[in-house]
Amino acid sequence: MPTLTTYQTRIIPDWVDYNGHLRDAFYLLIFSYATDALMDRLGMDSNNREASGHSLFTLELHLNYLHEVKLDAEVEVRTQIIAHDQKRLHLYHSLHLVGGDKALAGNEQMLLHVDLAGPRSAPFSEATLSKLQAIVDGQSDLPVPDYIGRVIALPPQK
């Protein structure tokens, strides 16, 4: 299984800045919608969230801007599950022109499964764990993305 295409959209005028490029905040909006779509695929849609009282919270994310994205571009997000445990999900989204190979942006996320009544962390259901593991197994031949585990820092002064 290759990366999952989790979201597609056209870049609209409200999302574009004074340079004619997608505003930095809207990259994250697009990736957020892709995370929502992944949640739906895992059976964690709005009906499930209401019934179970559980959801995913974002603990941390890193966003890398790699190439310009312009008005009216048709883009898609491809998602790779990097790892998961009983409560957390580590994933990577990449933004591409629809059907294109070149990554325009990359987004690494760490998500936590949460019981909203607390809120406090809670283990995934067996059904969700099974779906997660099936995706991981299907993506086992994919390379680790280039922009995983990066740290923001200036190089040491000489």
Side-chain angles (χ1 to χ4, degrees), residues 77-158:
V77 177
R78 300 176 191 160
T79 302
Q80 183 176 350
I81 304 298
I82 303 303
H84 70 87
D85 62 16
Q86 297 298 312
K87 297 179 181 180
R88 293 172 298 184
L89 173 57
H90 183 193
L91 63 82
Y92 185 78
H93 294 304
S94 56
L95 184 69
H96 302 261
L97 293 176
V98 171
D101 290 329
K102 180 170 63 173
L104 305 172
N107 175 232
E108 179 180 14
Q109 296 186 14
M110 182 66 71
L111 307 172
L112 179 67
H113 189 245
V114 173
D115 179 343
L116 298 171
R120 62 185 176 280
S121 66
F124 288 112
S125 70
E126 288 302 318
T128 299
L129 284 171
S130 177
K131 290 175 185 176
L132 275 170
Q133 193 57 51
I135 294 170
V136 169
D137 291 347
Q139 295 181 336
S140 64
D141 60 337
L142 292 177
V144 174
D146 290 338
Y147 293 92
I148 288 288
R150 294 178 56 104
V151 174
I152 296 175
L154 292 173
Q157 296 292 322
K158 292 183 180 184

Side-chain angles (χ1 to χ4, degrees), residues 1-2 13 16 20-21 29 31 35-36 43 45 51 56 62 83 89 97 102 110-112 127 141 144 153 155:
M1 173 192 301
V16 175
H21 303 142
L29 177 73
F31 288 132
T35 299
D36 290 350
D45 58 15
L56 287 177
H62 296 184
L89 173 57
L97 293 176
K102 180 170 63 173
M110 182 66 71
L111 307 172
L112 179 67
D141 60 337
V144 174

Side-chain angles (χ1 to χ4, degrees), residues 31-49:
F31 288 132
S32 183
Y33 286 144
T35 299
D36 290 350
L38 177 64
M39 289 175 66
D40 290 350
R41 185 180 188 106
L42 295 172
M44 300 176 67
D45 58 15
S46 60
N47 290 335
N48 176 276
R49 284 188 299 276

